[in-house]
């Protein structure tokens, strides 16, 4: 109660300072609001596609194929790393977007719009790259829903949307290529295993032939067991070859697929004509708070002396 009364008395005694402070902060707020660059957001939500066809032959061979070959899709928690990589930006900057009938090269537009020119081309790219990943594009991954949200922020709502669209196309392209590369490596591994198992099968079959030649009669229990043991080895190897051959055919089909879906787009890139920055209400509240606090700072000496 004493504190509230003290603050009320302080405001009454320094009414002029509070009025000047509040008016000054409001003027600065209005100037900043009307002269600062508007920022418009485009947003899309995606999630990784579960492709069951690539798993048809893996169930029986999961113990034979290395773990890094068993799953060809990239986890969504690395999408941010892909999108914010230099190679991604370099390819994206070369692309052309069409806005209101005009073809615009992404690199040139970003360079002109944000005044990031430099005499050295490498330094210029580095500045543009850092600005792009820190201010233009945002990637967030929700571990609970397994959804990735990608957002772009520029001074033009149409360019924000167009930039997000080509970013999505580039991401899909890269994920497809990663998938194909993994399947190609998987194919090489399967061929290597087939070759090895065929050699092993030939060796067992030769052993079986020699066994039969040396033991024309297998009435002996021990010879019977030995014969069944060799036959079981042949059976296992033949089954492995069949499984590998099936997986190889599936792999060949997967590698040649051009229409494979690597991500599902929940919401296409949005066109948002409402700016996300600067926010009038937020700036107004901040300016009121600052305008109210400044007199206490200005008269801090008087406050401490009085107390």
């Amino acid at each position: 109660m004493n504190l509230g009364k003290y603050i009320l008395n302080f405001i009454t005694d320094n009414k002029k300072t509070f009025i000047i402070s509040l008016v000054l902060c409001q003027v600065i707020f209005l100037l900043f609001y009307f002269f600062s660059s508007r920022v418009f957001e485009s947003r899309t939500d995606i999630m990784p596609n579960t492709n069951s066809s690539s798993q048809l032959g893996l169930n029986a061979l999961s113990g034979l194929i290395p773990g890094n070959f068993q799953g060809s899709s990239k986890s969504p928690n690395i999408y941010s790393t892909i999108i914010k990589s230099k190679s991604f930006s370099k390819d994206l900057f070369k692309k052309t977007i069409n806005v209101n009938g005009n073809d615009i090269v992404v690199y040139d537009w970003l360079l002109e719009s944000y005044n990031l020119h430099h005499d050295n081309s490498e330094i210029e790219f580095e500045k543009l790259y850092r600005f792009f990943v820190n201010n233009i594009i945002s990637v967030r991954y929700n571990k609970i829903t397994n959804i990735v949200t990608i957002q772009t922020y520029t001074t033009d709502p149409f360019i924000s949307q167009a930039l997000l669209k080509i970013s999505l196309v580039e991401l899909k392209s890269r994920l497809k290529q990663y998938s194909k590369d993994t399947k190609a490596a998987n194919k090489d591994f399967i061929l290597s295993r087939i070759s090895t198992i065929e050699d092993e099968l030939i060796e067992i079959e030769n052993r079986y032939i020699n066994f039969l030649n040396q033991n024309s009669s297998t009435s002996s229990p021990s010879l019977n067991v030995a014969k069944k043991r060799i036959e079981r080895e042949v059976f296992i190897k033949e089954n492995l070859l069949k499984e590998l051959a099936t997986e190889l055919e599936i792999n060949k089909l997967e590698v040649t697929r051009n229409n494979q879906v690597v991500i599902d787009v929940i919401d296409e890139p949005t066109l948002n004509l409402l700016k996300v920055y600067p926010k009038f209400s937020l700036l107004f509240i901040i300016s009121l708070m600052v305008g109210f606090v400044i007199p206490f700072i200005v008269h801090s000496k008087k406050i401490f002396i009085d107390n």
Side-chain angles (χ1 to χ4, degrees):
M1 192 71 179
N2 291 333
L3 179 61
K5 186 176 181 181
Y6 176 81
I7 292 174
L8 186 61
N9 291 334
F10 181 84
I11 293 173
T12 304
D13 295 340
N14 299 278
K15 189 184 298 180
K16 184 178 179 181
T17 305
F18 274 94
I19 292 173
I20 293 172
S21 175
L22 288 169
V23 170
L24 182 63
C25 285
Q26 294 304 307
V27 170
I28 294 173
F29 147 70
L30 289 172
L31 289 173
F32 177 80
Y33 180 79
F34 285 110
F35 288 101
S36 62
S37 298
R38 293 332 191 221
V39 176
F40 298 88
E41 171 216 33
S42 182
R43 168 185 177 136
T44 184
D45 292 321
I46 61 175
M47 64 179 178
N49 177 267
T50 304
N51 191 350
S52 59
S53 63
S54 63
Q55 301 296 323
L56 289 176
L58 284 177
N59 293 331
L61 300 170
S62 59
L64 295 174
I65 298 178
N68 59 324
F69 290 150
Q70 289 182 35
S72 60
S73 62
K74 296 294 180 183
S75 172
N77 59 5
I78 69 163
Y79 287 6
S80 177
T81 304
I82 296 172
I83 292 172
K84 295 197 173 187
S85 66
K86 280 190 178 181
S87 61
F88 187 94
S89 295
K90 186 175 288 186
D91 289 340
L92 194 71
F93 292 166
K94 295 175 185 175
K95 296 187 183 298
T96 300
I97 55 178
N98 187 281
V99 180
N100 298 325
N102 298 318
D103 288 332
I104 300 169
V105 178
V106 173
Y107 187 91
D108 295 340
W109 186 87
L110 292 173
L111 210 60
E112 294 293 334
S113 299
Y114 299 102
N115 193 24
L116 297 169
H117 296 277
H118 197 278
D119 295 334
N120 187 301
S121 59
E122 291 183 4
I123 295 175
E124 184 177 84
F125 172 79
E126 188 67 25
K127 287 174 62 179
L128 193 58
Y129 162 71
R130 291 184 181 277
F131 185 82
F132 176 75
V133 298
N134 292 325
N135 300 282
I136 301 294
I137 198 159
S138 168
V139 185
R140 292 182 291 108
Y141 171 52
N142 189 321
K143 293 183 179 180
I144 298 174
T145 60
N146 207 36
I147 292 174
V148 178
T149 300
I150 309 173
Q151 295 159 285
T152 51
Y153 303 90
T154 72
T155 54
D156 185 306
F158 295 97
I159 288 180
S160 291
Q161 184 189 38
L163 190 58
L164 186 53
K165 282 183 177 180
I166 61 171
S167 297
L168 201 54
V169 170
E170 180 65 20
L171 176 63
K172 287 180 180 178
S173 174
R174 284 176 177 253
L175 290 174
K176 285 181 181 179
Q177 189 57 49
Y178 295 151
S179 178
K180 284 185 177 182
D181 291 345
T182 302
K183 287 164 185 171
N186 194 3
K187 178 184 175 182
D188 292 339
F189 176 80
I190 295 171
L191 287 172
S192 173
R193 288 295 299 153
I194 287 175
S195 177
T196 301
I197 292 173
E198 282 179 340
D199 291 340
E200 291 174 352
L201 181 58
I202 291 171
E203 190 273 330
I204 296 170
E205 286 173 339
N206 288 333
R207 227 174 354 109
Y208 189 46
I209 292 171
N210 292 333
F211 176 84
L212 292 177
N213 288 334
Q214 293 171 9
N215 303 279
S216 56
S217 174
T218 55
S219 57
S220 166
S222 60
L223 290 178
N224 244 332
V225 170
K227 180 184 176 184
K228 288 181 179 179
R229 186 178 296 128
I230 297 174
E231 288 175 343
R232 186 165 58 247
E233 289 183 53
V234 172
F235 177 77
I236 291 171
K237 294 298 180 183
E238 286 177 341
N239 276 345
L240 280 174
L241 280 177
K242 289 177 183 177
E243 295 288 354
L244 285 167
T246 302
E247 177 60 24
L248 183 61
E249 289 304 312
I250 293 170
N251 182 272
K252 286 178 180 178
L253 291 173
E254 289 292 320
V255 170
T256 56
R257 281 183 62 197
N258 292 319
N259 63 336
Q260 59 178 318
V261 179
V262 289
I263 54 175
D264 290 320
V265 180
I266 300 170
D267 286 318
E268 292 291 341
T270 58
L271 175 63
N272 188 0
L273 299 177
L274 298 175
K275 64 184 184 303
V276 294
Y277 177 86
K279 292 277 190 181
F280 184 90
S281 56
L282 179 62
L283 286 176
F284 179 69
I285 293 171
I286 292 174
S287 65
L288 286 177
M289 292 173 62
V290 173
F292 184 77
V293 170
I294 285 176
F296 289 97
I297 298 173
V298 172
H299 296 287
S300 58
K301 187 175 180 181
K302 184 191 296 185
I303 294 172
F304 288 117
I305 291 174
D306 290 347
N307 289 278

